[in-house]
Amino acid sequence: MKNIENIKTVVFPVAGLGSRFLPATKSVAKELFPILNIPLIEYAVDEAKKSGIEKFIFVISREKLQVARHFETNSKLERELKSKNKKFLEVITKNRIPKNNIFKVFQERPLGLGHAIWCARKYIDGPFAVVLPDDLVFSKTPCIQQLVDIYKKHKTSVIGIQEVSMDRVNQYGIIKTDNQKTNDIMTIQDIVEKPSIKRAPSNLAIIGRYVLSYNIIEELSKKQTGVGGEIQLTDALKNSINTSRVLGYKFEGKRFDCGNVMGAIEAQVFAALKEDLYKKDMTKILQKFLKKDY
Ligand code: UTP
């Protein structure tokens, strides 16, 4: 195992069922759903690229091969665009990842996020990043870069954290901390997966951005099942707290849970309002709707 300080590897676990988005996800992976004209997975890859990542591991199911293919060369489409519409040629070529930098791993059954990451182990040889593409983050500094910076400084696992309203704590892994180093960095003392309001130790929720030390792979190898009979990443993190420090980091940025319908709609509107090309039209549409003029 390499003891590198620079984080060059990212894991995208994208083998989940996406049940909250059925029936759409029966035939289309939710990671390919677009926010404006860009699929979620492309935002995630872009964030990782801008954060200095060079090795991209996709954990997929047999039905979701298309998610990784999105970054490969599409010769037929390129030929067509070359003769018909060069403007769009650049759009589809600039998102490519060099062949040697893409790694695909199959998770044969959706046994949980922890299991998905464990499936990627043969390509992991040191600390690594994990990005869940359905958590879309718009930020000044790419979200995973923010976590990489904290990792480099403290040399221990860092998890992306955000405050959520108490009526939502049952949808997240919630952390316990009374050791807030700064306003943004905290030592995690415990993690409770999807607690009731009563059992929640705080309203600080784990979001889909992680930079993890290699020891988490060893923890995941124990294949302990947790909530929902799944192998949860949060359980492995919780166990690793006994032997090494795990930090929570309240990152800067606006995050949307695009794994559920309303979260994805909110992200669409936000993205349109912040993009010059769509801003004016989006504002007009919203004003019209608010006046019930439809
Ligand atoms: P989610 O909790 O969003 O689960 O997983 P899901 O299956 O994608 O969606 P729902 O809850 O059924 O609607 C968080 C991330 O972990 C991946 C998912 O693809 C998603 O990116 N995941 C989850 C796996 O890769 N494998 C699993 O077994 C579970």
Side-chain angles (χ1 to χ4, degrees):
M1 187 194 45
K2 273 193 237 162
N3 188 15
I4 43 171
E5 282 196 9
N6 258 344
I7 310 294
K8 294 285 171 200
T9 302
V10 67
V11 179
F12 298 115
V14 293
L17 291 179
S19 22
R20 284 166 296 161
F21 244 118
L22 281 168
T25 41
K26 188 179 170 195
S27 51
V28 182
K30 71 174 165 185
E31 294 79 11
L32 292 175
F33 291 176
I35 298 297
L36 303 182
N37 58 330
I38 299 171
L40 285 170
I41 190 68
E42 194 168 323
Y43 285 99
V45 165
D46 214 40
E47 180 183 324
K49 275 184 183 169
K50 286 182 180 145
S51 306
I53 299 286
E54 290 169 1
K55 184 172 172 183
F56 302 83
I57 309 173
F58 294 86
V59 181
I60 50 180
S61 60
R62 304 271 161 195
E63 298 74 33
K64 289 174 106 176
L65 260 169
Q66 210 56 30
V67 178
R69 287 213 181 112
H70 182 70
F71 300 96
E72 295 171 359
T73 306
N74 183 337
S75 313
K76 188 170 175 240
L77 181 59
E78 283 178 27
R79 265 198 314 275
E80 294 291 343
L81 290 177
K82 217 175 239 169
S83 62
K84 288 186 191 137
N85 199 332
K86 286 217 174 81
K87 189 178 109 193
F88 291 118
L89 188 61
E90 200 205 320
V91 175
I92 66 149
T93 47
K94 77 164 192 235
N95 77 359
R96 278 195 215 133
I97 301 174
K99 220 173 170 181
N100 293 341
N101 299 27
I102 299 189
F103 300 83
K104 288 173 235 166
V105 181
F106 289 105
Q107 186 191 26
E108 298 295 348
R109 287 189 55 217
L111 297 178
L113 174 60
H115 181 259
I117 293 169
W118 178 79
C119 287
R121 68 197 177 284
K122 72 171 173 178
Y123 296 120
I124 298 174
D125 56 4
F128 59 101
V130 176
V131 172
L132 306 189
D134 51 355
D135 265 335
L136 176 59
V137 181
F138 293 101
S139 54
K140 285 190 203 105
T141 305
C143 186
I144 204 68
Q145 173 76 66
Q146 297 179 45
L147 268 65
V148 167
D149 291 343
I150 305 288
Y151 179 90
K152 281 189 189 160
K153 202 161 158 209
H154 297 272
K155 302 202 175 42
T156 196
S157 295
V158 192
I159 307 178
I161 299 292
Q162 277 205 331
E163 286 182 37
V164 295
S165 57
M166 279 315 274
D167 60 331
R168 295 202 157 183
V169 288
N170 63 353
Q171 297 171 19
Y172 296 91
I174 300 292
I175 67 160
K176 174 174 187 262
T177 177
D178 48 26
N179 182 357
Q180 207 142 337
K181 286 183 163 320
T182 66
N183 278 343
D184 303 331
I185 305 176
M186 56 209 85
T187 302
I188 297 180
Q189 284 153 335
D190 197 8
I191 303 173
V192 190
E193 183 63 24
K194 302 191 169 79
S196 60
I197 295 181
K198 241 175 156 181
R199 283 189 56 236
S202 72
N203 68 337
L204 297 169
I206 296 179
I207 303 305
R209 298 290 183 282
Y210 311 78
V211 174
L212 301 173
S213 303
Y214 186 82
N215 70 354
I216 206 70
I217 297 290
E218 283 144 25
E219 206 49 67
L220 286 169
S221 304
K222 296 177 190 161
K223 295 195 181 166
Q224 179 192 330
T225 49
V227 172
E230 294 190 343
I231 299 169
Q232 302 280 358
L233 174 60
T234 42
D235 287 333
L237 286 166
K238 188 178 155 131
N239 294 342
S240 77
I241 288 169
N242 302 324
T243 48
S244 56
R245 212 155 49 107
V246 178
L247 297 176
Y249 178 60
K250 267 199 232 169
F251 56 88
E252 170 275 318
K254 185 102 185 85
R255 167 253 173 196
F256 298 92
D257 177 4
C258 297
N260 75 68
V261 176
M262 278 321 294
I265 292 174
E266 202 185 347
Q268 297 281 12
V269 175
F270 181 85
L273 287 175
K274 98 184 206 354
E275 194 78 39
D276 285 343
L277 186 62
Y278 305 108
K279 200 174 170 173
K280 225 165 127 192
D281 288 342
M282 188 75 244
T283 309
K284 268 193 204 154
I285 290 170
L286 290 177
Q287 282 167 343
K288 199 167 82 172
F289 283 179
L290 284 172
K291 278 195 252 153
K292 296 199 176 8
D293 179 18
Y294 50 84

